[in-house]
Structure formats: structure tokens, C-alpha cells
Amino acid sequence: MVLAERVHKSFGPVEVLRGIDLRVEPGEVMCVVGPSGSGKSTFLRCINHLEKIDAGRLWVDGGLVGYRQKGDRLYEMREREVAAQRRDIGMVFQRFNLFPHMTAAENVMEAPVQVKGLSRAQARERAQELLGRVGLADRMENYPAQLSGGQQQRVAIARALAMDPKLMLFDEPTSALDPELVGEVLDVMRGLAEDGMTMIVVTHEMGFAREVGDSLVFMDEGAVVESGHPRDVLTAPRHARTRAFLSKVL
């Protein structure tokens, strides 16, 4: 579903990604961990071309992300073409980014109506289904300010699912939540994994990575230091840098 080959990204003189090679199979849950500033979030943003890569290749479901290739040269796609690619990739951010003037249902309905051309009746029916799936059937008419952080993040997940994505990207989805609200969001993500959704999750929740993840990637200074099955990496890391990181977070 996702293939990264020698992906590089710099911001000015700072090289944030230094040749990332990763492969994510359909239905796989990959958890990405590492210290702040290691390039985890930047890599996620490159997958849906919110950030342009400087070198390498990224494919999602067999399609080159953000570019088309003719011969040996790459040509950047028009924004409309990139937007069409993004329809298949759902993304959930640290901050919920809900429209404050819209109810929970309206937040979920907006993209299917504006982008996919669904009627408001069809979109509302779908929103009701998805908000029920994330445990918020009784909160459809609430505005974001009337919801807890965990509830807002669950609305954000439902909004991403409303576009029927092939791939879900989660950028530290629980880091902005109070500790007692983390579990309700992880439960929703656990349910998505059980349903076979392909997911890449940047997280500090090691218990979730151990329980739900099919693979675990440790990044540091813009590179993949170690990867493998979560239980193997968490209990017997091979690399000294991985051991040093895990000794501080486990």
C-alpha cells in the first residue's frame, strides 16, 4: 500500500529525512516511534504530498505520490491531481482541526458533499453511521466547543473515514489529550485495525504499538534506525540508540 525508496527532505540547510526506505502492506498497522525532531511527522506529511520530497520516490497503492514519471524524469502534478490522490488517504493530526462553526455531523459531511458530490441527505446518513462507529451517535448536533478533546478527535477520525480512504495516517493523535481521554481514541483506532484498515501511526503509546501494531519503526535524526515486529523491537532492540530511547519511555 505504501512504498518509500530513499526519501529525502530538507528545510533550508536542515536535512529532516535522510533516505527513508519503508514498505507497508495492505491491512498492515505500522507504528512509528522516535524522539521529537526525528522526522516522523514530516514523513507522514510527505506520504500525502503536504510536504514535497527532495529526492527518492513515494508510492501509495501503486501510484507515484505528487509526481508523474516520463522516462527518467519526474514532473510535479497539478494541485487538482494531487488533491484527487489525497482523497484516498485519510489523515488525523495532533490537533483536531474541526470547523468550529459546524456541528459534529456537519464536519463529517463537508468533504463528501464538496469533494465527492454526495447529496446532503446521503452525507448525513453516512455521518450518522460513522459517528455511531466512533461512539458519538448522540453528539451529532454538538459543536466542537461542546465536546471533550477525546470526542473531538473521534469526530476528526470519522471525518477522515467519510472519504472512504485506502490508507489512514495518524500523527500523534493522542498527544494533545488529557491522559484519561487517550483510551477512547485508541479504542477507535484498535477497531479500525481489526476491520483491516491500513494505518501508519506516529505515536508515543507503546502499549498500543505492542498490542495493535504489525510492525514498529524507530526513527532518529531523519533515518530509520531499526524496524521489526513490535514485541521484538520493544523487548530486545538490536541497536544501542533504540535501547537508549526505549529506556526512557518504557
Side-chain angles (χ1 to χ4, degrees):
M1 183 61 74
V2 180
L3 180 62
E5 291 185 351
R6 307 301 300 164
V7 171
H8 289 258
K9 174 66 182 177
S10 296
F11 294 106
V14 180
E15 192 174 16
V16 180
L17 299 177
R18 305 182 182 191
I20 301 293
D21 290 309
L22 281 177
R23 184 185 187 97
V24 184
E25 299 297 338
E28 180 179 345
V29 178
M30 175 179 282
C31 294
V32 184
V33 303
S36 178
S38 59
K40 308 181 302 294
S41 296
T42 298
F43 178 64
L44 274 198
R45 292 173 65 85
C46 288
I47 291 174
N48 62 3
H49 208 60
L50 288 175
E51 297 289 353
K52 301 175 185 178
I53 64 176
D54 297 324
R57 300 282 194 279
L58 261 171
W59 290 268
V60 171
D61 197 24
L64 200 58
V65 174
Y67 299 90
R68 68 166 51 83
Q69 187 164 346
K70 291 184 179 179
D72 295 332
R73 298 194 63 183
L74 289 182
Y75 298 88
E76 189 169 3
M77 289 180 174
R78 296 185 180 91
E79 183 57 36
R80 179 181 297 179
E81 295 171 302
V82 174
Q85 286 188 325
R86 289 195 188 115
R87 294 178 195 176
D88 293 330
I89 305 172
M91 188 157 185
V92 178
F93 300 88
Q94 295 178 38
R95 296 288 172 179
F96 325 121
N97 296 331
L98 299 178
F99 295 115
H101 62 290
M102 294 183 178
T103 64
E106 288 168 343
N107 266 281
V108 177
M109 292 165 59
E110 184 70 5
V113 170
Q114 297 297 332
V115 179
K116 298 185 80 172
L118 265 64
S119 69
R120 292 195 67 79
Q122 290 172 313
R124 185 171 180 82
E125 183 177 344
R126 179 71 169 140
Q128 187 170 6
E129 173 193 336
L130 289 170
L131 287 170
R133 182 176 179 180
V134 300
L136 294 173
D138 60 339
R139 298 287 187 172
M140 285 184 61
E141 303 310 321
N142 286 97
Y143 289 90
Q146 299 170 315
L147 300 173
S148 71
Q151 290 170 334
Q152 289 186 61
Q153 192 62 296
R154 285 187 280 156
V155 173
I157 293 172
R159 179 178 61 181
L161 292 174
M163 292 297 287
D164 297 314
K166 300 174 183 176
L167 168 69
M168 286 285 285
L169 308 176
F170 292 88
D171 187 5
E172 298 187 22
T174 60
S175 64
L177 301 179
D178 292 333
E180 66 268 23
L181 301 178
V182 168
E184 62 190 51
V185 174
L186 294 181
D187 284 344
V188 170
M189 295 169 62
R190 190 174 289 110
L192 290 178
E194 290 170 356
D195 290 343
M197 175 65 73
T198 309
M199 299 160 57
I200 303 179
V201 185
V202 171
T203 185
H204 295 296
E205 301 293 336
M206 299 300 168
F208 175 85
R210 183 193 301 267
E211 177 190 349
V212 181
D214 298 301
S215 58
L216 181 67
V217 171
F218 172 62
M219 287 181 62
D220 187 37
E221 296 184 346
V224 173
V225 176
E226 188 165 344
S227 63
H229 190 278
R231 288 185 178 86
D232 295 338
V233 176
L234 292 174
T235 58
R238 299 185 304 273
H239 198 284
R241 181 65 187 94
T242 315
R243 290 195 292 273
F245 173 77
L246 293 176
S247 70
K248 296 175 182 175
V249 299
L250 291 178

